[in-house]
Amino acid sequence: HYTVKRQTKAQRIVNKNTIICSRSEDQEKYLKDVDKQLDIMIFCLNIDNSTLEKEALRKINYFICDYLEYSLDDLSGDLLQALETKRGTCAVYSSLFQLLCQRCGIECYFIHDLEHNHAYNRVHLSNGEIYYFDVTWNDTTTLMKTTFSFCDLKTFQENHRWDSITP
């Protein structure tokens, strides 16, 4: 069993594909505000160094499904604004999933499908297992919120395609 390895703020990785700030705010202040929100979320999730990776992924998936409401009202991709309004697009769902995973030391990739204008994630566990997650579809198309979690490549490709994968 592999446990999460919590990262400090200095070790935090921010996805270069995530549209971090659409406001004219200072980027450093913006990142501090996002960090603060992520700290609160990790605390609420009760994820620490004793948490197994798969359990952390389950907690993150459920949390995002409960926290966010899917909305096309704001297509800016402004993550902080989405966290404040608790509404966002698939890019927000996937970016938040990636950032929370990375905060827990879990390798996670943001996947973008340009043809269908959709985003989801690929996760690499410490033991070498690779899984695909679509937290947006878990939230909007399934009652159990787990149908598109821990999918293998073959199963995931039945419903998903992608143009780019970004660490």
Side-chain angles (χ1 to χ4, degrees), residues 38-159:
L38 293 174
D39 284 341
I40 292 167
M41 290 176 181
I42 292 293
F43 178 78
C44 291
L45 287 167
N46 195 28
I47 295 174
D48 60 26
N49 291 336
S50 68
T51 307
L52 298 176
E53 287 178 319
K54 286 185 178 181
E55 182 59 25
L57 291 169
R58 282 185 196 92
K59 286 181 175 187
I60 293 168
N61 175 73
Y62 276 114
F63 176 81
I64 293 171
C65 288
D66 290 340
Y67 186 83
L68 291 176
E69 177 183 338
Y70 184 76
S71 173
L72 293 173
D73 292 344
D74 180 9
L75 298 176
S76 71
D78 185 323
L79 185 58
L80 187 57
Q81 180 177 334
L83 295 177
E84 291 169 356
T85 63
K86 298 184 179 182
R87 299 168 59 88
T89 63
C90 57
V92 169
Y93 277 74
S94 295
S95 294
L96 182 56
F97 184 81
Q98 181 184 31
L99 290 171
L100 288 171
C101 286
Q102 289 174 342
R103 204 52 164 290
C104 294
I106 299 171
E107 186 178 349
C108 183
Y109 296 84
F110 180 96
I111 302 174
H112 190 218
D113 174 354
L114 293 173
E115 181 182 349
H116 299 102
N117 194 27
H118 192 52
Y120 18 87
N121 302 93
R122 182 175 76 196
V123 174
H124 295 233
L125 300 184
S126 298
N127 65 2
E129 293 176 356
I130 297 174
Y131 294 106
Y132 293 83
F133 283 77
D134 187 332
V135 182
T136 309
W137 281 14
N138 280 341
D139 188 28
T140 60
T141 64
T142 67
L143 293 175
M144 295 174 47
K145 302 194 184 301
T146 58
T147 302
F148 298 99
S149 298
F150 297 101
C151 296
D152 62 24
L153 178 60
K154 183 178 178 187
T155 303
F156 205 70
Q157 283 183 324
E158 291 173 5
N159 300 304

Side-chain angles (χ1 to χ4, degrees), residues 10-23:
Q11 296 170 314
R12 181 178 48 81
I13 303 166
V14 175
N15 178 338
K16 64 183 175 189
N17 265 7
T18 303
I19 300 170
I20 296 200
C21 186
S22 63
R23 304 175 190 177

